[in-house]
Amino acid sequence: MHTPDARARSDWSSLNDVQTVTISPLEKSIHRDIRIPGSKSFTNRALIIAAMAEGPSILSGILRSDDSYWCIDTLNKLGIETKVDGDTIEINGCAGDWPIKQANLYIGAAGTTARFLPGTLAAANSGEWFVEASERMSQRPVELLLEGLRTLGASIESEGYYPLKIKGQGLKGGPVTISGKQSSQFISGLLMASPYAENEVTVTIPDYIVQHAYVKITIDLMKRFGVKVEANDELTTMVIPPSVYKGQKLDLEADASTASYFFALAALTNSRIKVTNLNMKTNQPDIFMVDLYEKMGCTVTRGDSFIEVIGTDQLLGGFDISMKEMSDQTLTIAALAPFASGPITLRDVEHIRHHESDRISAICTELTKLGIKVEEFADGLTIYPGTPKPAVLDSYDDHRVAMSLALVGLKVPGITIHDPGCVSKTCPTYFDLLKDLGVSVQYK
Ligand SMILES: O=C(O)C1=C[C@@H](OP(=O)(O)O)[C@@H](O)[C@H](O)C1
Ligand SMILES: C=C(OP(=O)(O)O)C(=O)O
């Protein structure tokens, strides 16, 4: 079993001392309304932009998880004053001039902070920071982002991966071309720093952006903090003139990726789950998982202030789908797929081999342990219908592996998952939320 990276678990994590969790099949279907915790993507973007802004910001509805804990901790170590009260944070922005000019920083396992922070440090006129990340984040790609930032004038030393040594010597700006095929977060990271460059920045994408909706979220949030961004609809050219973020009062959205597991629960167990703090107006791409649940036979109601999914006796399979635009949910569908009426092929997600685990390999290994037939490709997998057998499964220190495999336990007895605490990266309360719905959750 994978050894968890204990350093990356924060004061906001849960279940650190728990070895395994066993989920038992539901005895009867669930009919419930639930509220989902705040969005990781909105939280870490808003935290960093608010810290760079001129004046105070108040953010409510933040996610309290390892990813946001280490982001706030890093901002504090840079001299940013924050006050957290429940899921609200007050942040005193530094207008791009980080008060503490020399520090060793640790950002944990968050791809968001890892890709959004370097440009904001490099854009400062002085300072020198050494930035470390979790073991896994130190294996995940960042080089294309660093090259892009260097083109804009950044001074960043690294051996292609974290740790990084970043010198604040300002950004010149100008044109920069960057591929979007590896991670949309590189583009978001370039954009977030760009208003603080001396000259206008023009970002050009020569290919395509995986999960381009996250770049849209970045642009929208930058605009809400008062800076200008001009972009074409395809997001292949983005122009950012010099400008300064202004502190804001914002209420952040709930996390559509987390919501998807609860809709999946409804789908799989013929239950009804109504999420009362999300609607289809969000730009979070994982919201479109409800379209997929509908395609699999569920009934979906898209309200003005809620989304409801009602499951079915028999999930429909027999399709092939690109998960490029909502690739975090590849594992969720893979966990439901054995229960579907035909094989399901998930493709176009080679980049998820570089997420918190090699997710394609991880899910193929664990489904095989369950006795499910799978075929693995470079960019995806096919899952065949079958009856999962009891098994002790590895979570690879990957929150989405644990959250997805837990769904199998709702239907099959004897599903035990190692290191449930890994859900703390984005949803420390995941198993509590399941328990509150009446699911039997047992820890050892
Ligand atoms: O910008 C963001 O908030 C995110 C972008 C995506 O990353 P990639 O584009 O690297 O796949 C997504 O997987 C991640 O969970 C959140
Ligand atoms: C890929 C993910 O996270 P990140 O890249 O933000 O670490 C995720 O949450 O599935």
PDB file of all heavy atoms in Angstrom, residues 40 109-112 115 140 185 328 355-356 359 399-400 425-426, ligand 2:
ATOM      1  N   LYS A  40     -12.427  24.130  -4.169  1.00  0.00           N
ATOM      2  CA  LYS A  40     -10.964  24.232  -4.065  1.00  0.00           C
ATOM      3  C   LYS A  40     -10.440  25.241  -5.086  1.00  0.00           C
ATOM      4  O   LYS A  40      -9.581  26.072  -4.782  1.00  0.00           O
ATOM      5  CB  LYS A  40     -10.351  22.858  -4.345  1.00  0.00           C
ATOM      6  CG  LYS A  40      -8.873  22.900  -4.652  1.00  0.00           C
ATOM      7  CD  LYS A  40      -8.372  21.629  -5.294  1.00  0.00           C
ATOM      8  CE  LYS A  40      -8.597  21.612  -6.787  1.00  0.00           C
ATOM      9  NZ  LYS A  40      -8.006  20.460  -7.468  1.00  0.00           N
ATOM     10  N   ALA A 109       0.426  19.643  -1.293  1.00  0.00           N
ATOM     11  CA  ALA A 109       0.231  18.827  -2.499  1.00  0.00           C
ATOM     12  C   ALA A 109      -0.623  19.510  -3.561  1.00  0.00           C
ATOM     13  O   ALA A 109      -1.003  18.880  -4.558  1.00  0.00           O
ATOM     14  CB  ALA A 109      -0.421  17.500  -2.095  1.00  0.00           C
ATOM     15  N   ALA A 110      -0.931  20.781  -3.366  1.00  0.00           N
ATOM     16  CA  ALA A 110      -1.905  21.453  -4.240  1.00  0.00           C
ATOM     17  C   ALA A 110      -1.310  21.855  -5.592  1.00  0.00           C
ATOM     18  O   ALA A 110      -0.395  22.689  -5.644  1.00  0.00           O
ATOM     19  CB  ALA A 110      -2.435  22.709  -3.548  1.00  0.00           C
ATOM     20  N   GLY A 111      -1.857  21.298  -6.659  1.00  0.00           N
ATOM     21  CA  GLY A 111      -1.473  21.732  -8.006  1.00  0.00           C
ATOM     22  C   GLY A 111      -1.797  23.199  -8.205  1.00  0.00           C
ATOM     23  O   GLY A 111      -1.059  23.936  -8.874  1.00  0.00           O
ATOM     24  N   THR A 112      -2.904  23.656  -7.616  1.00  0.00           N
ATOM     25  CA  THR A 112      -3.304  25.051  -7.796  1.00  0.00           C
ATOM     26  C   THR A 112      -2.230  25.996  -7.244  1.00  0.00           C
ATOM     27  O   THR A 112      -1.677  26.809  -7.985  1.00  0.00           O
ATOM     28  CB  THR A 112      -4.667  25.303  -7.102  1.00  0.00           C
ATOM     29  OG1 THR A 112      -4.628  24.701  -5.803  1.00  0.00           O
ATOM     30  CG2 THR A 112      -5.823  24.738  -7.895  1.00  0.00           C
ATOM     31  N   ARG A 115       1.077  25.920  -9.128  1.00  0.00           N
ATOM     32  CA  ARG A 115       1.122  26.565 -10.446  1.00  0.00           C
ATOM     33  C   ARG A 115       0.745  28.051 -10.379  1.00  0.00           C
ATOM     34  O   ARG A 115       1.096  28.812 -11.280  1.00  0.00           O
ATOM     35  CB  ARG A 115       0.196  25.835 -11.412  1.00  0.00           C
ATOM     36  CG  ARG A 115       0.785  24.604 -12.097  1.00  0.00           C
ATOM     37  CD  ARG A 115       0.959  23.410 -11.154  1.00  0.00           C
ATOM     38  NE  ARG A 115       1.418  22.200 -11.791  1.00  0.00           N
ATOM     39  CZ  ARG A 115       0.628  21.155 -12.122  1.00  0.00           C
ATOM     40  NH1 ARG A 115      -0.655  21.201 -11.838  1.00  0.00           N
ATOM     41  NH2 ARG A 115       1.131  20.095 -12.719  1.00  0.00           N
ATOM     42  N   ARG A 140       5.245  16.259 -10.107  1.00  0.00           N
ATOM     43  CA  ARG A 140       4.265  16.687 -11.120  1.00  0.00           C
ATOM     44  C   ARG A 140       4.862  17.814 -11.966  1.00  0.00           C
ATOM     45  O   ARG A 140       5.687  18.592 -11.496  1.00  0.00           O
ATOM     46  CB  ARG A 140       2.950  17.136 -10.425  1.00  0.00           C
ATOM     47  CG  ARG A 140       2.253  15.984  -9.726  1.00  0.00           C
ATOM     48  CD  ARG A 140       0.982  16.423  -9.027  1.00  0.00           C
ATOM     49  NE  ARG A 140       0.001  16.989  -9.954  1.00  0.00           N
ATOM     50  CZ  ARG A 140      -1.112  17.602  -9.568  1.00  0.00           C
ATOM     51  NH1 ARG A 140      -1.384  17.747  -8.274  1.00  0.00           N
ATOM     52  NH2 ARG A 140      -1.949  18.078 -10.462  1.00  0.00           N
ATOM     53  N   GLN A 185      -3.600  24.604 -15.497  1.00  0.00           N
ATOM     54  CA  GLN A 185      -3.120  25.429 -14.376  1.00  0.00           C
ATOM     55  C   GLN A 185      -1.907  26.280 -14.770  1.00  0.00           C
ATOM     56  O   GLN A 185      -1.671  27.338 -14.192  1.00  0.00           O
ATOM     57  CB  GLN A 185      -2.786  24.543 -13.176  1.00  0.00           C
ATOM     58  CG  GLN A 185      -4.035  23.900 -12.567  1.00  0.00           C
ATOM     59  CD  GLN A 185      -3.718  22.909 -11.464  1.00  0.00           C
ATOM     60  OE1 GLN A 185      -2.575  22.486 -11.304  1.00  0.00           O
ATOM     61  NE2 GLN A 185      -4.731  22.512 -10.711  1.00  0.00           N
ATOM     62  N   ASP A 328     -11.027  15.295 -13.861  1.00  0.00           N
ATOM     63  CA  ASP A 328     -10.985  14.877 -12.450  1.00  0.00           C
ATOM     64  C   ASP A 328     -12.049  13.812 -12.169  1.00  0.00           C
ATOM     65  O   ASP A 328     -11.968  13.091 -11.171  1.00  0.00           O
ATOM     66  CB  ASP A 328     -11.238  16.070 -11.508  1.00  0.00           C
ATOM     67  CG  ASP A 328     -10.077  17.048 -11.466  1.00  0.00           C
ATOM     68  OD1 ASP A 328      -9.042  16.780 -12.115  1.00  0.00           O
ATOM     69  OD2 ASP A 328     -10.201  18.080 -10.784  1.00  0.00           O
ATOM     70  N   HIS A 355      -1.412  13.548 -12.197  1.00  0.00           N
ATOM     71  CA  HIS A 355      -2.135  14.191 -11.102  1.00  0.00           C
ATOM     72  C   HIS A 355      -1.651  13.614  -9.761  1.00  0.00           C
ATOM     73  O   HIS A 355      -0.480  13.231  -9.662  1.00  0.00           O
ATOM     74  CB  HIS A 355      -3.641  14.026 -11.325  1.00  0.00           C
ATOM     75  CG  HIS A 355      -4.194  15.059 -12.286  1.00  0.00           C
ATOM     76  ND1 HIS A 355      -5.494  15.063 -12.723  1.00  0.00           N
ATOM     77  CD2 HIS A 355      -3.602  16.120 -12.883  1.00  0.00           C
ATOM     78  CE1 HIS A 355      -5.689  16.099 -13.533  1.00  0.00           C
ATOM     79  NE2 HIS A 355      -4.552  16.749 -13.652  1.00  0.00           N
ATOM     80  N   GLU A 356      -2.508  13.549  -8.765  1.00  0.00           N
ATOM     81  CA  GLU A 356      -2.070  13.146  -7.425  1.00  0.00           C
ATOM     82  C   GLU A 356      -1.491  11.728  -7.420  1.00  0.00           C
ATOM     83  O   GLU A 356      -0.742  11.345  -6.521  1.00  0.00           O
ATOM     84  CB  GLU A 356      -3.233  13.250  -6.436  1.00  0.00           C
ATOM     85  CG  GLU A 356      -3.558  14.682  -6.029  1.00  0.00           C
ATOM     86  CD  GLU A 356      -4.402  15.440  -7.035  1.00  0.00           C
ATOM     87  OE1 GLU A 356      -4.316  15.171  -8.265  1.00  0.00           O
ATOM     88  OE2 GLU A 356      -5.160  16.323  -6.612  1.00  0.00           O
ATOM     89  N   ARG A 359      -3.354   8.291 -12.308  1.00  0.00           N
ATOM     90  CA  ARG A 359      -4.743   7.897 -12.038  1.00  0.00           C
ATOM     91  C   ARG A 359      -5.243   6.793 -12.958  1.00  0.00           C
ATOM     92  O   ARG A 359      -6.092   5.990 -12.555  1.00  0.00           O
ATOM     93  CB  ARG A 359      -5.655   9.131 -12.114  1.00  0.00           C
ATOM     94  CG  ARG A 359      -5.456  10.038 -10.921  1.00  0.00           C
ATOM     95  CD  ARG A 359      -6.351  11.247 -10.962  1.00  0.00           C
ATOM     96  NE  ARG A 359      -6.349  11.890  -9.647  1.00  0.00           N
ATOM     97  CZ  ARG A 359      -6.811  13.101  -9.410  1.00  0.00           C
ATOM     98  NH1 ARG A 359      -7.326  13.829 -10.384  1.00  0.00           N
ATOM     99  NH2 ARG A 359      -6.785  13.602  -8.185  1.00  0.00           N
ATOM    100  N   HIS A 399      -6.930  11.703  -3.113  1.00  0.00           N
ATOM    101  CA  HIS A 399      -8.312  11.913  -2.659  1.00  0.00           C
ATOM    102  C   HIS A 399      -9.340  11.371  -3.630  1.00  0.00           C
ATOM    103  O   HIS A 399     -10.345  10.789  -3.226  1.00  0.00           O
ATOM    104  CB  HIS A 399      -8.532  13.407  -2.398  1.00  0.00           C
ATOM    105  CG  HIS A 399      -8.227  14.300  -3.565  1.00  0.00           C
ATOM    106  ND1 HIS A 399      -9.005  15.349  -3.936  1.00  0.00           N
ATOM    107  CD2 HIS A 399      -7.217  14.296  -4.476  1.00  0.00           C
ATOM    108  CE1 HIS A 399      -8.491  15.954  -4.978  1.00  0.00           C
ATOM    109  NE2 HIS A 399      -7.390  15.328  -5.322  1.00  0.00           N
ATOM    110  N   ARG A 400      -9.111  11.567  -4.948  1.00  0.00           N
ATOM    111  CA  ARG A 400     -10.156  11.133  -5.894  1.00  0.00           C
ATOM    112  C   ARG A 400     -10.198   9.614  -6.052  1.00  0.00           C
ATOM    113  O   ARG A 400     -11.247   9.053  -6.357  1.00  0.00           O
ATOM    114  CB  ARG A 400     -10.002  11.825  -7.248  1.00  0.00           C
ATOM    115  CG  ARG A 400     -10.126  13.322  -7.126  1.00  0.00           C
ATOM    116  CD  ARG A 400     -10.663  14.038  -8.326  1.00  0.00           C
ATOM    117  NE  ARG A 400     -10.506  15.476  -8.126  1.00  0.00           N
ATOM    118  CZ  ARG A 400     -11.312  16.225  -7.354  1.00  0.00           C
ATOM    119  NH1 ARG A 400     -12.353  15.689  -6.756  1.00  0.00           N
ATOM    120  NH2 ARG A 400     -11.069  17.513  -7.191  1.00  0.00           N
ATOM    121  N   LYS A 425      -7.241  16.368   1.124  1.00  0.00           N
ATOM    122  CA  LYS A 425      -6.691  17.320   0.144  1.00  0.00           C
ATOM    123  C   LYS A 425      -7.775  18.297  -0.313  1.00  0.00           C
ATOM    124  O   LYS A 425      -7.512  19.491  -0.454  1.00  0.00           O
ATOM    125  CB  LYS A 425      -6.082  16.570  -1.047  1.00  0.00           C
ATOM    126  CG  LYS A 425      -5.415  17.509  -2.043  1.00  0.00           C
ATOM    127  CD  LYS A 425      -4.662  16.748  -3.107  1.00  0.00           C
ATOM    128  CE  LYS A 425      -3.873  17.692  -4.001  1.00  0.00           C
ATOM    129  NZ  LYS A 425      -4.684  18.492  -4.906  1.00  0.00           N
ATOM    130  N   THR A 426      -8.973  17.763  -0.575  1.00  0.00           N
ATOM    131  CA  THR A 426     -10.053  18.660  -1.029  1.00  0.00           C
ATOM    132  C   THR A 426     -11.366  18.512  -0.268  1.00  0.00           C
ATOM    133  O   THR A 426     -12.247  19.361  -0.431  1.00  0.00           O
ATOM    134  CB  THR A 426     -10.387  18.435  -2.517  1.00  0.00           C
ATOM    135  OG1 THR A 426     -10.696  17.052  -2.691  1.00  0.00           O
ATOM    136  CG2 THR A 426      -9.236  18.841  -3.416  1.00  0.00           C
TER     137      THR A 426
HETATM  138  C1  LIG B   2      -5.869  17.252 -10.113  1.00  0.00           C
HETATM  139  C2  LIG B   2      -6.354  17.690  -8.960  1.00  0.00           C
HETATM  140  O1  LIG B   2      -5.793  18.610  -8.140  1.00  0.00           O
HETATM  141  P1  LIG B   2      -4.626  19.675  -8.294  1.00  0.00           P
HETATM  142  O2  LIG B   2      -4.088  19.599  -9.692  1.00  0.00           O
HETATM  143  O3  LIG B   2      -5.275  20.978  -7.995  1.00  0.00           O
HETATM  144  O4  LIG B   2      -3.606  19.279  -7.270  1.00  0.00           O
HETATM  145  C3  LIG B   2      -7.644  17.174  -8.423  1.00  0.00           C
HETATM  146  O5  LIG B   2      -8.171  17.778  -7.463  1.00  0.00           O
HETATM  147  O6  LIG B   2      -8.166  16.177  -8.940  1.00  0.00           O
END
